[in-house]
Amino acid sequence: EAQVTQNPRYLITVTGKKLTVTCSQNMNHEYMSWYRQDPGLGLRQIYYSMNVEVTDKGDVPEGYKVSRKEKRNFPLILESPSPNQTSLYFCASSVRLITDTQYFGPGTRLTVL
Amino acid sequence: AQSVAQPEDQVNVAEGNPLTVKCTYSVSGNPYLFWYVQYPNRGLQFLLKYITGDNLVKGSYGFEAEFNKSQTSFHLKKPSALVSDSALYFCAVRILDTGRRALTFGSGTRLQVQP
């Protein structure tokens, strides 16, 4: 089944404790991105990647890191999480272009205490 | 800067009635426009998109949207609402004329269809 998977789905952590949220797609898509969803703000893009080893900042990249060492994986790294990073995070992928249909993962609900 | 607005936080409609979810955009170039839907505890799903061509775009689940350049709008419509259409709907825009390869999403509109 074609899908985007994220792990973990739920995470509660404390300020400053490094964490990684994994994202993997099995559709051989070139474009991948991370979004955060906050009430009243919709989805805001954190980072995106056009292909392996090619990443760029979205609208709200501060406090986040990403890497794209393999085509299928695009992990989101929070080196020192803070409470303002409490949010619902979505990974998405599309064939090649941002204008292609994006396929979203199920989301990761992160709480930083 | 590109932006997209969804002026209604919530839209209520009775089952069987037509529905409209509004979206307006502000851009300096030619827009690519999208609608996505989010069901409870799920990721977003693609509904439809406008790239170029016919201003009326038909999408999944009987939804359609009309691109109106003069009013800078891309409202989502359906002739007859179903209870199962109740969800959170997002409009998104990408500008063709910039090098930025990112989508800007609206804040979302919750559609509630009453039986």
Side-chain angles (χ1 to χ4, degrees), chain A residues 100-112:
Chain A
D100 297 324
T101 298
Q102 289 199 75
Y103 294 84
F104 283 80
T108 295
R109 186 165 293 282
L110 172 65
T111 301
V112 183

Side-chain angles (χ1 to χ4, degrees), chain B residues 15-114:
Chain B
E15 188 174 29
N17 283 359
L19 69 88
T20 298
V21 182
K22 295 179 180 177
C23 172
T24 59
Y25 63 91
S26 174
V27 304
S28 57
N30 294 311
Y32 281 173
L33 294 154
F34 303 79
W35 277 101
Y36 283 83
V37 59
Q38 184 180 28
Y39 297 101
N41 300 313
R42 303 283 297 275
L44 278 71
Q45 296 178 32
F46 170 79
L47 275 180
L48 52 81
K49 65 182 176 183
Y50 172 81
I51 304 297
T52 187
D54 195 345
N55 289 344
L56 183 64
V57 179
K58 293 188 183 299
S60 308
Y61 313 122
F63 284 94
E64 60 186 31
E66 185 167 11
F67 171 62
N68 188 319
K69 190 170 185 177
S70 62
Q71 297 185 8
T72 62
S73 67
F74 190 58
H75 301 333
L76 181 70
K77 299 183 179 185
K78 187 174 183 181
S80 179
L82 300 172
V83 172
S84 57
D85 292 330
S86 298
L88 188 56
Y89 290 80
F90 290 97
C91 182
V93 63
R94 189 235 163 175
I95 308 306
L96 279 175
D97 300 338
T98 69
R100 193 160 169 273
R101 296 174 175 84
L103 282 184
T104 298
F105 282 82
S107 55
T109 298
R110 187 164 300 281
L111 174 66
Q112 199 71 36
V113 181
Q114 284 109 15

